[in-house]
Coordinates of all heavy atoms in Angstrom, one line a residue:
I21 N 54.5 41.5 64.3 CA 53.4 40.5 64.2 C 53.1 40.3 62.7 O 53.0 41.3 62.0 CB 52.2 40.9 65.0 CG1 52.5 41.0 66.4 CG2 51.1 39.9 64.7 CD1 51.4 41.4 67.3
V22 N 52.9 39.1 62.3 CA 52.5 38.8 60.9 C 51.1 38.1 61.0 O 51.0 37.2 61.7 CB 53.5 37.9 60.2 CG1 53.0 37.5 58.8 CG2 54.9 38.6 60.1
W23 N 50.2 38.7 60.3 CA 48.8 38.1 60.2 C 48.7 37.3 58.9 O 49.0 37.8 57.8 CB 47.8 39.2 60.2 CG 47.6 39.9 61.5 CD1 46.8 39.5 62.6 CD2 48.3 41.0 62.0 NE1 47.0 40.4 63.6 CE2 47.9 41.3 63.3 CE3 49.3 41.9 61.4 CZ2 48.4 42.4 64.0 CZ3 49.8 42.9 62.2 CH2 49.3 43.2 63.5
L24 N 48.3 36.1 59.1 CA 48.2 35.2 57.9 C 46.7 34.8 57.7 O 45.9 35.0 58.5 CB 49.0 33.9 58.2 CG 50.5 34.1 58.4 CD1 51.2 32.9 58.9 CD2 51.2 34.6 57.1
P25 N 46.4 34.3 56.5 CA 45.0 34.0 56.2 C 44.5 33.0 57.2 O 45.2 32.2 57.8 CB 45.1 33.4 54.8 CG 46.4 33.9 54.2 CD 47.3 34.1 55.3
G26 N 43.2 33.0 57.4 CA 42.6 32.1 58.3 C 42.7 32.6 59.8 O 42.4 31.8 60.7
G27 N 43.2 33.8 60.0 CA 43.3 34.3 61.3 C 44.6 33.9 62.1 O 44.8 34.2 63.2
R28 N 45.5 33.2 61.4 CA 46.7 32.7 62.1 C 47.6 33.9 62.3 O 47.8 34.8 61.4 CB 47.4 31.7 61.3 CG 48.6 31.0 62.0 CD 49.0 29.7 61.4 NE 49.5 29.8 60.1 CZ 50.8 29.7 59.8 NH1 51.7 29.4 60.7 NH2 51.2 29.7 58.5
V29 N 48.2 34.1 63.5 CA 49.1 35.2 63.8 C 50.4 34.6 64.2 O 50.5 33.7 65.0 CB 48.5 36.0 65.0 CG1 49.4 37.1 65.4 CG2 47.1 36.6 64.6
V30 N 51.5 35.2 63.7 CA 52.8 34.8 64.1 C 53.5 36.1 64.7 O 53.6 37.1 64.1 CB 53.7 34.4 62.9 CG1 55.1 33.9 63.3 CG2 53.0 33.2 62.1
D31 N 53.9 35.9 66.0 CA 54.4 37.0 66.7 C 56.0 36.9 66.8 O 56.5 35.9 67.4 CB 53.9 37.0 68.1 CG 54.3 38.2 69.0 OD1 55.2 39.0 68.6 OD2 53.8 38.3 70.1
F32 N 56.7 37.8 66.2 CA 58.1 37.7 66.1 C 58.7 38.7 67.2 O 59.9 39.1 67.1 CB 58.7 38.1 64.8 CG 58.4 37.0 63.7 CD1 57.6 37.3 62.6 CD2 58.9 35.7 63.8 CE1 57.3 36.3 61.7 CE2 58.7 34.8 62.9 CZ 57.9 35.1 61.8
S33 N 57.9 39.2 68.1 CA 58.4 40.2 69.1 C 59.6 39.7 69.9 O 60.4 40.6 70.4 CB 57.3 40.7 70.0 OG 56.8 39.6 70.8
T34 N 59.8 38.4 70.1 CA 60.9 37.9 70.8 C 62.0 37.3 69.9 O 62.9 36.7 70.4 CB 60.5 36.9 71.9 OG1 59.8 35.8 71.2 CG2 59.5 37.5 72.9
Q35 N 61.8 37.4 68.6 CA 62.7 36.8 67.6 C 63.1 37.9 66.6 O 62.4 38.1 65.6 CB 62.0 35.7 66.9 CG 61.5 34.6 67.8 CD 60.7 33.6 67.0 OE1 61.1 33.2 65.9 NE2 59.5 33.2 67.5
S36 N 64.2 38.6 66.9 CA 64.6 39.7 66.0 C 65.1 39.2 64.6 O 64.9 40.0 63.7 CB 65.7 40.5 66.7 OG 66.8 39.8 66.9
L37 N 65.7 38.1 64.5 CA 66.2 37.6 63.2 C 65.1 37.5 62.1 O 65.3 38.1 61.1 CB 67.0 36.4 63.4 CG 67.7 35.9 62.1 CD1 68.7 36.9 61.5 CD2 68.5 34.6 62.4
P38 N 64.0 36.8 62.4 CA 63.0 36.7 61.4 C 62.4 38.0 61.0 O 62.2 38.3 59.8 CB 61.9 35.8 62.0 CG 62.6 35.1 63.1 CD 63.7 35.9 63.6
W39 N 62.2 38.9 62.0 CA 61.7 40.2 61.8 C 62.7 41.0 60.9 O 62.3 41.7 60.0 CB 61.4 41.0 63.1 CG 60.8 42.3 62.8 CD1 61.4 43.5 62.8 CD2 59.5 42.5 62.4 NE1 60.6 44.5 62.4 CE2 59.3 43.9 62.1 CE3 58.4 41.7 62.1 CZ2 58.2 44.5 61.7 CZ3 57.2 42.3 61.7 CH2 57.1 43.7 61.5
S40 N 64.0 40.9 61.2 CA 65.0 41.6 60.4 C 64.9 41.2 58.9 O 65.1 42.0 58.0 CB 66.3 41.4 61.0 OG 66.4 42.0 62.2
I41 N 64.8 39.9 58.7 CA 64.7 39.4 57.3 C 63.5 39.9 56.6 O 63.6 40.4 55.5 CB 64.7 37.8 57.3 CG1 66.1 37.3 57.8 CG2 64.4 37.3 55.9 CD1 66.1 35.8 58.1
L42 N 62.3 39.8 57.3 CA 61.1 40.3 56.7 C 61.2 41.8 56.4 O 60.8 42.3 55.3 CB 59.9 40.1 57.6 CG 59.5 38.6 57.7 CD1 58.4 38.4 58.8 CD2 59.0 38.1 56.4
S43 N 61.8 42.6 57.3 CA 61.9 44.0 57.1 C 62.9 44.3 56.0 O 62.6 45.3 55.2 CB 62.5 44.7 58.4 OG 61.5 44.6 59.4
A44 N 63.9 43.6 55.9 CA 64.9 43.8 54.7 C 64.2 43.6 53.4 O 64.3 44.3 52.5 CB 66.1 42.9 54.9
L45 N 63.4 42.5 53.3 CA 62.6 42.2 52.1 C 61.6 43.4 51.8 O 61.6 43.8 50.7 CB 61.9 40.9 52.2 CG 62.7 39.7 52.1 CD1 62.0 38.4 52.6 CD2 63.1 39.5 50.6
A46 N 60.9 43.8 52.8 CA 59.9 44.8 52.6 C 60.6 46.1 52.2 O 60.1 46.8 51.3 CB 59.1 45.0 53.9
D47 N 61.7 46.5 52.8 CA 62.4 47.7 52.5 C 63.0 47.7 51.1 O 63.2 48.8 50.6 CB 63.5 48.0 53.6 CG 62.9 48.4 54.9 OD1 61.7 48.6 55.0 OD2 63.7 48.3 55.9
Q48 N 63.2 46.6 50.6 CA 63.8 46.5 49.2 C 62.7 46.2 48.2 O 63.0 45.7 47.1 CB 64.8 45.4 49.2 CG 66.1 45.6 50.0 CD 66.8 46.8 49.5 OE1 67.1 46.9 48.3 NE2 67.2 47.7 50.4
G49 N 61.5 46.5 48.5 CA 60.4 46.3 47.5 C 59.9 44.9 47.4 O 59.2 44.6 46.4
G50 N 60.2 44.0 48.3 CA 59.7 42.7 48.3 C 60.7 41.6 47.8 O 60.4 40.5 47.7
A51 N 61.9 42.0 47.4 CA 62.9 41.1 46.9 C 64.3 41.7 47.3 O 64.5 42.9 47.3 CB 62.8 40.9 45.4
T52 N 65.2 40.8 47.6 CA 66.6 41.2 48.0 C 67.6 40.1 47.6 O 67.2 38.9 47.5 CB 66.6 41.6 49.4 OG1 67.9 42.3 49.7 CG2 66.5 40.5 50.4
T53 N 68.8 40.5 47.5 CA 69.9 39.6 47.2 C 70.4 39.0 48.5 O 70.2 39.5 49.6 CB 71.0 40.2 46.5 OG1 71.6 41.2 47.3 CG2 70.5 40.9 45.2
K54 N 71.1 37.9 48.4 CA 71.8 37.3 49.5 C 72.8 38.3 50.1 O 72.9 38.4 51.3 CB 72.5 36.0 49.2 CG 71.6 34.9 48.9 CD 72.4 33.6 48.5 CE 71.4 32.5 48.2 NZ 72.2 31.3 47.9
E55 N 73.5 39.0 49.3 CA 74.5 40.0 49.7 C 73.8 41.1 50.5 O 74.3 41.4 51.6 CB 75.3 40.6 48.5 CG 76.3 41.6 49.0 CD 77.1 42.1 47.8 OE1 76.6 42.3 46.7 OE2 78.3 42.3 48.0
A56 N 72.7 41.6 50.1 CA 72.0 42.6 50.8 C 71.5 42.1 52.1 O 71.6 42.9 53.1 CB 70.9 43.2 50.0
L57 N 71.1 40.9 52.2 CA 70.6 40.3 53.5 C 71.8 40.2 54.5 O 71.6 40.5 55.6 CB 70.0 38.9 53.3 CG 68.5 38.9 52.9 CD1 68.1 37.5 52.7 CD2 67.7 39.6 53.9
V58 N 72.9 39.7 54.0 CA 74.1 39.6 54.9 C 74.5 41.0 55.4 O 74.7 41.1 56.6 CB 75.3 39.0 54.1 CG1 76.6 39.1 54.9 CG2 75.0 37.5 53.9
V59 N 74.5 42.0 54.6 CA 74.9 43.3 55.1 C 73.9 43.9 56.0 O 74.2 44.4 57.1 CB 75.1 44.3 53.9 CG1 75.2 45.7 54.3 CG2 76.3 43.8 53.0
R60 N 72.6 43.7 55.7 CA 71.5 44.3 56.5 C 71.2 43.6 57.8 O 71.1 44.1 58.8 CB 70.3 44.5 55.6 CG 69.0 44.8 56.4 CD 68.7 46.3 56.3 NE 67.6 46.6 57.2 CZ 66.4 46.8 56.7 NH1 66.1 46.8 55.4 NH2 65.4 47.1 57.6
V61 N 71.1 42.2 57.6 CA 70.6 41.4 58.7 C 71.7 41.0 59.7 O 71.6 41.1 60.9 CB 69.8 40.2 58.2 CG1 69.4 39.3 59.4 CG2 68.6 40.7 57.4
W62 N 72.8 40.6 59.1 CA 73.9 40.1 59.9 C 75.1 41.1 60.0 O 76.1 40.8 60.6 CB 74.5 38.8 59.4 CG 73.5 37.7 59.7 CD1 73.5 37.0 60.8 CD2 72.5 37.1 58.8 NE1 72.5 36.0 60.7 CE2 71.9 36.1 59.5 CE3 72.1 37.4 57.5 CZ2 70.9 35.3 58.9 CZ3 71.1 36.7 56.9 CH2 70.5 35.6 57.6
S63 N 74.9 42.3 59.5 CA 75.9 43.4 59.6 C 77.2 43.0 59.0 O 78.3 43.4 59.5 CB 76.1 43.9 61.0 OG 74.9 44.4 61.6
G64 N 77.2 42.1 58.0 CA 78.4 41.7 57.3 C 78.9 42.8 56.4 O 78.1 43.7 56.0
R65 N 80.1 42.7 56.0 CA 80.7 43.7 55.1 C 80.5 43.2 53.6 O 80.4 44.1 52.7 CB 82.2 43.9 55.3 CG 82.4 44.6 56.7 CD 83.9 44.5 57.1 NE 84.8 44.9 56.0 CZ 85.7 45.8 56.1 NH1 86.0 46.4 57.2 NH2 86.5 46.0 55.0
D66 N 80.4 41.9 53.4 CA 80.2 41.4 52.1 C 79.6 40.0 52.2 O 79.6 39.4 53.3 CB 81.4 41.4 51.2 CG 82.6 40.6 51.9 OD1 82.4 40.1 53.0 OD2 83.7 40.5 51.2
Y67 N 79.2 39.4 51.1 CA 78.6 38.1 51.1 C 79.6 37.1 50.6 O 80.3 37.3 49.6 CB 77.4 38.1 50.3 CG 76.9 36.7 49.9 CD1 76.3 35.9 50.8 CD2 77.1 36.2 48.6 CE1 75.8 34.6 50.4 CE2 76.6 34.9 48.2 CZ 76.0 34.1 49.2 OH 75.6 32.9 48.8
H68 N 79.8 36.0 51.3 CA 80.7 34.9 50.9 C 79.9 33.6 51.1 O 79.6 33.3 52.2 CB 82.0 34.9 51.6 CG 83.0 33.9 51.0 ND1 82.9 32.6 51.2 CD2 84.0 34.2 50.2 CE1 83.9 32.0 50.5 NE2 84.6 33.0 49.9
P69 N 79.6 32.8 50.0 CA 78.8 31.6 50.2 C 79.3 30.6 51.2 O 78.5 30.1 52.0 CB 78.9 31.0 48.8 CG 79.3 32.0 47.9 CD 80.1 33.0 48.7
L70 N 80.6 30.4 51.3 CA 81.1 29.5 52.3 C 80.9 29.9 53.7 O 80.7 29.1 54.6 CB 82.6 29.2 52.1 CG 82.9 28.5 50.8 CD1 84.5 28.4 50.6 CD2 82.3 27.1 50.7
R71 N 80.9 31.2 53.9 CA 80.7 31.7 55.3 C 79.3 32.0 55.6 O 78.8 31.8 56.7 CB 81.5 33.0 55.4 CG 81.4 33.7 56.7 CD 82.1 35.1 56.8 NE 81.5 36.0 55.8 CZ 82.2 36.7 54.9 NH1 83.5 36.7 54.9 NH2 81.5 37.5 54.1
D72 N 78.5 32.4 54.6 CA 77.1 32.9 54.9 C 76.0 32.0 54.5 O 74.9 32.2 55.1 CB 77.0 34.3 54.2 CG 78.0 35.3 54.7 OD1 78.2 35.4 55.9 OD2 78.6 36.0 53.9
D73 N 76.1 31.1 53.6 CA 75.0 30.4 53.1 C 74.3 29.5 54.2 O 73.1 29.5 54.3 CB 75.3 29.5 51.9 CG 75.2 30.3 50.6 OD1 74.8 31.5 50.6 OD2 75.6 29.7 49.6
T74 N 75.1 28.8 55.0 CA 74.4 27.9 56.0 C 73.6 28.7 57.0 O 72.4 28.3 57.2 CB 75.5 27.1 56.7 OG1 76.2 26.3 55.8 CG2 74.9 26.2 57.8
R75 N 74.1 29.8 57.5 CA 73.3 30.5 58.5 C 72.1 31.2 57.9 O 71.0 31.3 58.4 CB 74.1 31.5 59.3 CG 74.6 32.7 58.5 CD 75.3 33.7 59.4 NE 76.1 34.6 58.6 CZ 76.8 35.6 59.0 NH1 76.9 35.7 60.4 NH2 77.4 36.4 58.3
M76 N 72.2 31.6 56.6 CA 71.1 32.2 55.9 C 70.0 31.1 55.6 O 68.9 31.4 55.8 CB 71.6 32.8 54.6 CG 70.5 33.7 53.9 SD 71.1 34.5 52.5 CE 72.6 35.2 53.0
H77 N 70.5 30.0 55.1 CA 69.5 28.9 54.8 C 68.7 28.5 56.1 O 67.5 28.2 56.0 CB 70.2 27.7 54.2 CG 70.7 28.0 52.8 ND1 71.4 27.1 52.1 CD2 70.6 29.1 52.0 CE1 71.7 27.7 50.9 NE2 71.2 28.9 50.9
V78 N 69.4 28.4 57.2 CA 68.8 28.0 58.5 C 67.8 29.0 58.9 O 66.7 28.7 59.3 CB 69.9 27.8 59.6 CG1 69.2 27.6 60.9 CG2 70.7 26.5 59.3
A79 N 68.2 30.3 58.8 CA 67.2 31.4 59.2 C 66.0 31.4 58.3 O 64.9 31.6 58.8 CB 68.0 32.7 59.2
I80 N 66.2 31.3 57.0 CA 65.1 31.3 56.0 C 64.2 30.1 56.3 O 63.0 30.2 56.3 CB 65.6 31.3 54.6 CG1 66.3 32.6 54.3 CG2 64.5 31.0 53.6 CD1 65.5 33.9 54.3
R81 N 64.8 28.9 56.6 CA 64.0 27.7 56.8 C 63.1 27.9 58.1 O 62.0 27.6 58.1 CB 65.0 26.5 57.0 CG 64.3 25.3 57.5 CD 63.5 24.7 56.3 NE 62.8 23.5 56.8 CZ 61.8 23.0 56.3 NH1 61.2 23.5 55.2 NH2 61.2 21.9 56.7
R82 N 63.7 28.5 59.1 CA 62.9 28.7 60.3 C 61.8 29.7 60.1 O 60.7 29.6 60.6 CB 63.8 29.2 61.5 CG 64.7 28.1 62.0 CD 65.6 28.6 63.1 NE 66.4 27.5 63.6 CZ 67.5 27.6 64.3 NH1 68.0 28.8 64.6 NH2 68.2 26.6 64.7
L83 N 62.1 30.8 59.3 CA 61.1 31.7 59.0 C 60.0 31.1 58.1 O 58.8 31.3 58.4 CB 61.7 32.9 58.2 CG 60.8 34.0 57.8 CD1 60.0 34.6 58.9 CD2 61.6 35.2 57.1
R84 N 60.3 30.3 57.2 CA 59.3 29.6 56.4 C 58.5 28.7 57.2 O 57.3 28.5 57.0 CB 60.0 28.8 55.2 CG 60.4 29.7 54.1 CD 61.1 28.9 53.0 NE 61.4 29.7 51.8 CZ 62.4 29.4 51.0 NH1 63.1 28.3 51.2 NH2 62.6 30.2 50.0
T85 N 59.1 28.0 58.2 CA 58.3 27.1 59.1 C 57.3 27.9 59.8 O 56.2 27.4 60.1 CB 59.3 26.4 60.0 OG1 60.2 25.6 59.3 CG2 58.6 25.5 61.0
A86 N 57.6 29.1 60.2 CA 56.7 30.0 60.9 C 55.5 30.5 60.0 O 54.4 30.7 60.5 CB 57.4 31.1 61.6
I87 N 55.8 30.9 58.8 CA 54.8 31.6 58.0 C 54.2 30.9 56.8 O 53.2 31.3 56.3 CB 55.4 33.0 57.5 CG1 56.5 32.7 56.4 CG2 55.9 33.8 58.6 CD1 57.0 33.9 55.7
E88 N 54.8 29.8 56.5 CA 54.3 29.0 55.3 C 53.3 27.9 55.7 O 53.4 27.4 56.8 CB 55.4 28.3 54.5 CG 56.4 29.3 53.9 CD 55.9 29.9 52.6 OE1 54.8 29.6 52.2 OE2 56.6 30.8 52.1
D89 N 52.3 27.7 54.9 CA 51.4 26.5 55.1 C 52.2 25.2 54.9 O 52.0 24.3 55.6 CB 50.2 26.6 54.2 CG 49.3 27.8 54.4 OD1 49.2 28.2 55.6 OD2 48.7 28.3 53.5
D90 N 53.1 25.2 53.9 CA 53.9 24.1 53.6 C 55.3 24.6 53.3 O 55.6 25.0 52.2 CB 53.4 23.3 52.4 CG 54.2 22.1 52.0 OD1 55.2 21.8 52.7 OD2 53.9 21.5 51.0
P91 N 56.2 24.6 54.3 CA 57.6 25.1 54.2 C 58.4 24.4 53.0 O 59.3 25.0 52.5 CB 58.2 24.8 55.5 CG 57.1 24.7 56.5 CD 56.0 24.1 55.7
E92 N 58.0 23.2 52.7 CA 58.6 22.5 51.6 C 58.3 23.0 50.2 O 59.0 22.8 49.2 CB 58.3 21.0 51.7 CG 58.8 20.3 52.9 CD 60.3 20.3 53.1 OE1 61.0 20.2 52.1 OE2 60.7 20.5 54.2
A93 N 57.1 23.7 50.1 CA 56.7 24.3 48.9 C 56.3 25.8 49.2 O 55.1 26.1 49.2 CB 55.5 23.6 48.3
P94 N 57.3 26.6 49.5 CA 57.0 28.0 49.9 C 56.3 28.8 48.9 O 56.6 28.8 47.7 CB 58.4 28.6 50.2 CG 59.3 27.7 49.5 CD 58.7 26.4 49.3
K95 N 55.3 29.6 49.3 CA 54.6 30.6 48.5 C 54.7 32.0 49.0 O 54.4 32.9 48.2 CB 53.2 30.1 48.3 CG 53.0 28.8 47.6 CD 51.6 28.4 47.5 CE 51.6 27.0 46.8 NZ 50.3 26.5 46.6
R96 N 55.0 32.2 50.2 CA 55.1 33.5 50.8 C 56.5 34.1 50.8 O 56.7 35.3 50.6 CB 54.6 33.5 52.2 CG 53.1 33.2 52.3 CD 52.6 33.3 53.7 NE 51.1 33.0 53.7 CZ 50.6 31.8 54.1 NH1 51.4 30.9 54.7 NH2 49.3 31.6 54.0
L97 N 57.5 33.2 51.0 CA 58.9 33.6 50.9 C 59.6 32.6 50.0 O 59.9 31.5 50.3 CB 59.5 33.5 52.3 CG 61.0 33.9 52.5 CD1 61.3 35.3 51.9 CD2 61.4 33.7 53.9
V98 N 59.9 33.1 48.8 CA 60.4 32.2 47.7 C 61.9 32.5 47.5 O 62.4 33.6 47.7 CB 59.6 32.4 46.4 CG1 58.2 31.9 46.7 CG2 59.7 33.8 45.9
T99 N 62.6 31.5 47.0 CA 64.0 31.7 46.6 C 64.0 32.2 45.1 O 63.3 31.7 44.3 CB 64.7 30.3 46.6 OG1 64.6 29.8 48.0 CG2 66.2 30.5 46.3
T100 N 64.9 33.2 44.9 CA 65.1 33.7 43.6 C 66.5 33.3 43.1 O 67.3 32.7 43.9 CB 65.0 35.2 43.5 OG1 66.0 35.8 44.3 CG2 63.6 35.7 44.1
E101 N 66.9 33.7 41.9 CA 68.2 33.4 41.4 C 69.3 34.0 42.3 O 70.4 33.5 42.5 CB 68.3 33.9 40.0 CG 69.6 33.5 39.3 CD 69.6 33.9 37.8 OE1 68.6 33.5 37.1 OE2 70.5 34.5 37.4
S102 N 69.0 35.2 42.8 CA 70.1 36.0 43.5 C 69.8 36.1 45.0 O 70.6 36.7 45.8 CB 70.3 37.3 42.9 OG 69.1 38.1 43.0
G103 N 68.6 35.6 45.5 CA 68.3 35.8 46.9 C 66.9 35.3 47.3 O 66.6 34.1 47.0
Y104 N 66.1 36.2 47.8 CA 64.8 35.8 48.3 C 63.8 36.9 48.0 O 64.2 38.1 47.8 CB 64.8 35.5 49.8 CG 65.7 34.4 50.2 CD1 67.0 34.6 50.6 CD2 65.3 33.1 50.1 CE1 67.9 33.6 50.8 CE2 66.2 32.0 50.4 CZ 67.4 32.3 50.8 OH 68.3 31.2 51.0
A105 N 62.5 36.5 47.9 CA 61.5 37.5 47.6 C 60.2 37.0 48.2 O 60.0 35.9 48.5 CB 61.3 37.6 46.1
F106 N 59.3 38.0 48.4 CA 57.9 37.7 48.8 C 57.3 37.0 47.6 O 57.4 37.5 46.5 CB 57.1 38.9 49.2 CG 57.5 39.5 50.5 CD1 57.8 40.9 50.6 CD2 57.7 38.7 51.7 CE1 58.2 41.4 51.8 CE2 58.1 39.3 52.9 CZ 58.3 40.6 52.9
G107 N 56.6 35.9 47.8 CA 55.8 35.3 46.7 C 54.5 36.0 46.5 O 54.2 37.0 47.1
D108 N 53.7 35.4 45.6 CA 52.5 36.1 45.3 C 51.3 35.4 45.9 O 50.1 35.5 45.5 CB 52.3 36.1 43.8 CG 52.4 34.7 43.1 OD1 52.5 33.7 43.8 OD2 52.3 34.7 41.9
A109 N 51.5 34.7 47.0 CA 50.4 34.0 47.7 C 49.3 34.9 48.2 O 48.1 34.7 48.1 CB 50.9 33.1 48.9
E110 N 49.7 36.0 48.9 CA 48.9 37.1 49.4 C 49.5 38.4 49.2 O 50.7 38.5 49.1 CB 48.6 36.8 50.9 CG 47.8 35.6 51.2 CD 48.7 34.4 51.5 OE1 49.8 34.6 51.8 OE2 48.2 33.3 51.4
A111 N 48.7 39.4 49.3 CA 49.3 40.8 49.3 C 50.2 41.0 50.5 O 49.9 40.5 51.6 CB 48.2 41.8 49.3
V112 N 51.3 41.6 50.4 CA 52.2 41.9 51.5 C 52.0 43.3 51.9 O 52.0 44.3 51.1 CB 53.7 41.7 51.0 CG1 54.7 42.1 52.1 CG2 53.9 40.3 50.6
R113 N 51.9 43.5 53.2 CA 51.7 44.8 53.8 C 52.8 45.1 54.7 O 53.3 44.2 55.4 CB 50.3 44.9 54.5 CG 49.2 44.7 53.6 CD 47.9 44.8 54.4 NE 46.7 44.6 53.6 CZ 46.2 43.4 53.3 NH1 46.7 42.3 53.7 NH2 45.2 43.3 52.5
R114 N 53.2 46.3 54.8 CA 54.3 46.7 55.7 C 53.7 46.8 57.1 O 52.7 47.6 57.3 CB 54.9 48.0 55.3 CG 56.0 48.5 56.1 CD 57.3 47.7 55.9 NE 58.4 48.3 56.4 CZ 59.2 47.7 57.2 NH1 59.1 46.5 57.5 NH2 60.3 48.4 57.7
L115 N 54.3 46.2 58.1 CA 53.8 46.2 59.4 C 54.9 46.8 60.3 O 56.0 46.6 60.1 CB 53.4 44.8 59.9 CG 52.4 44.1 59.1 CD1 52.2 42.7 59.6 CD2 51.1 44.8 59.1
A116 N 54.5 47.5 61.4 CA 55.4 48.0 62.3 C 55.6 47.1 63.5 O 54.7 46.4 63.9 CB 54.9 49.4 62.8
R117 N 56.8 47.2 64.0 CA 57.1 46.4 65.2 C 56.3 47.1 66.4 O 56.1 48.3 66.4 CB 58.6 46.5 65.5 CG 59.0 45.7 66.7 CD 60.5 45.8 66.8 NE 61.2 45.0 65.9 CZ 62.1 44.1 66.2 NH1 62.4 43.9 67.4 NH2 62.7 43.4 65.3
R118 N 55.9 46.3 67.3 CA 55.2 46.8 68.5 C 56.0 47.9 69.2 O 57.2 47.7 69.4 CB 54.9 45.7 69.5 CG 53.6 45.0 69.3 CD 53.4 44.1 70.4 NE 52.5 43.0 69.9 CZ 52.0 42.1 70.6 NH1 52.3 42.0 71.9 NH2 51.3 41.1 70.0
G119 N 55.3 49.0 69.5 CA 56.0 50.0 70.2 C 56.9 50.8 69.3 O 57.7 51.6 69.8
G120 N 56.8 50.7 68.0 CA 57.7 51.4 67.1 C 57.2 51.5 65.8 O 57.1 51.6 64.8

């Protein structure tokens, strides 16, 4: 579960992909490369743009739609030169999955 300002709650308990992306970012200190995401989230052996970029962009877009006030101008999940990072919109706290 992700708690957002204003009391908005996003429950990812039935959506493992967004939770895996958020966990990978948190475990890497708030920023990670595309290669590390492919290995961690999709269990890939390596990152290849032609193979991995589309599915990664779709997953990030869906995650941004869920957690951003304006997915077109993300502030919570931003794109970096080498991957993605938590933005500085709010403090990021590590949350545990329900039952674990």
Side-chain angles (χ1 to χ4, degrees):
I21 297 176
V22 175
W23 289 270
L24 298 169
R28 189 162 64 108
V29 176
V30 182
D31 184 353
F32 291 117
S33 62
T34 61
Q35 303 174 46
S36 63
L37 183 59
W39 182 259
S40 295
I41 293 169
L42 291 172
S43 293
L45 282 163
D47 290 347
Q48 294 294 316
T52 191
T53 64
K54 290 179 179 182
E55 181 176 35
L57 276 178
V58 166
V59 170
R60 168 97 186 261
V61 175
W62 286 278
S63 301
R65 291 170 47 133
D66 58 358
Y67 165 74
H68 191 282
L70 294 176
R71 180 185 60 227
D72 299 313
D73 273 356
T74 299
R75 69 177 167 180
M76 189 177 314
H77 291 176
V78 169
I80 294 294
R81 174 72 180 157
R82 287 182 179 157
L83 181 54
R84 283 180 173 154
T85 298
I87 67 170
E88 295 284 357
D89 294 329
D90 180 2
E92 298 296 324
K95 295 182 181 178
R96 294 184 179 108
L97 178 57
V98 298
T99 303
T100 65
E101 188 174 306
S102 62
Y104 299 94
F106 289 132
D108 57 3
E110 293 92 17
V112 175
R113 296 179 181 88
R114 181 73 166 128
L115 304 174
R117 185 181 281 237
R118 272 188 206 185

